[in-house]
Amino acid sequence: MKKNILVLSCLAAFAISCQKDEYSVNSNNSGVTSENLAPVENTAAHAGYTKRVLVEEFVGTSYGDVPEVTRILNHIVASNPARIIVASHHNNDILESPQTDLLVNALTSNGNTAYPSSLVDRSTMNGFRFIGGSNYQSAISQQLNQSTSCGVSISSTINSKTATIDVYEGFTAKINATCFINVYVVEDNIALSNPSNYQANNFNNNNKSPFYHKGNPMSEYVHQHVVRTCITPSMGMQIKQGALISGGSDHQTFSYQLPENINKNNCSIIAFVSQSVNGMPDQVLNVQMTKLGTSGTW
């Protein structure tokens, strides 16, 4: 059974600093404020391609711990925004994509996970793949310090409601595994107007929280990084094996009809390469994100 994990362990660490926070639910950073959080190490790019980290949030409007857990993640991202990319998979609400349950079923042994939680490069930490907010900083730091032998570049154009997306993968060393390319369309700045879709808030009565007296549910909460669709199959499209060598490359072109309920001006493309481990494409090697209708270099 899907359940809402408590973040009391996180709150104990952050309670004092949270008390003095100013919070705006309409900010682009979903309420990011300054705290005494140690910044994630901003290491220089490793030789070849820059290693970026993909954080996949699993959230939903009915889970009252989401505002705080997301706030913790946003503080960490703010310390190194060029190298930490977030994709938010919604569950059990109007923003849920068909891929959410497919991913959970594929990436867990029993098809269940706790909400909210996150995947960091789909790696494991202390034996767990889905982790809570108290482990975000150490897990992200761990992945930022990894080297990578691949890079991703994205170019996209929009003609009316049709988006054409070109994704390129390049490699600096031979990879003795099967690799996959995964492509998401994500949307920022989504405010839900129906009260039945407002964000639950477990901190409305906690005077040490920036969410104190913001309502439960919160009517003005703005959702960021929302995965609207996975253009590739849910676990990715296989990259040709001949490309997985030093100097190798591959390229895919996708056409996507933007639904009427998506604001194309707030959309971005996330593309990432995953490597098969024990037959499962669940280890992210590198990731890239660009605004829809623009191009992004390696």
Side-chain angles (χ1 to χ4, degrees), residues 134-162:
S134 61
N135 290 316
Y136 284 177
Q137 186 150 353
S138 55
I140 292 171
S141 294
Q142 174 180 285
Q143 292 306 113
L144 278 176
N145 286 323
Q146 301 296 313
S147 60
T148 187
S149 58
C150 74
V152 184
S153 181
I154 307 169
S155 177
S156 62
T157 58
I158 306 172
N159 183 2
S160 185
K161 281 287 185 177
T162 302

Side-chain angles (χ1 to χ4, degrees), residues 112-219:
N112 293 323
T113 189
Y115 288 83
S117 60
S118 288
L119 300 169
V120 178
D121 274 348
R122 298 187 178 177
S123 60
T124 59
M125 183 174 184
N126 299 325
F128 295 95
R129 190 188 307 276
F130 289 84
I131 61 174
S134 61
N135 290 316
Y136 284 177
Q137 186 150 353
S138 55
I140 292 171
S141 294
Q142 174 180 285
Q143 292 306 113
L144 278 176
N145 286 323
Q146 301 296 313
S147 60
T148 187
S149 58
C150 74
V152 184
S153 181
I154 307 169
S155 177
S156 62
T157 58
I158 306 172
N159 183 2
S160 185
K161 281 287 185 177
T162 302
T164 301
I165 303 162
D166 287 285
V167 180
Y168 305 83
E169 307 88 56
F171 300 87
T172 60
K174 183 176 181 179
I175 298 179
N176 294 312
T178 304
C179 290
F180 299 80
I181 185 68
N182 308 256
V183 182
Y184 293 161
V185 176
V186 299
E187 184 177 4
D188 288 321
N189 303 322
I190 301 176
L192 300 175
S193 59
N194 189 323
S196 64
N197 298 324
Y198 290 165
Q199 177 63 54
N201 173 23
N202 285 350
F203 311 96
N204 189 53
N205 297 321
N206 183 345
N207 62 9
K208 295 182 179 181
S209 169
F211 304 100
Y212 179 57
H213 281 183
K214 296 299 180 181
N216 184 24
M218 289 190 287
S219 61

Side-chain angles (χ1 to χ4, degrees), residues 236-258:
M237 174 184 294
Q238 186 172 337
I239 297 171
K240 64 185 182 183
Q241 204 68 27
L244 307 180
I245 59 173
S246 179
S249 64
D250 203 359
H251 166 229
Q252 302 81 27
T253 299
F254 305 93
S255 181
Y256 175 62
Q257 284 294 120
L258 293 165

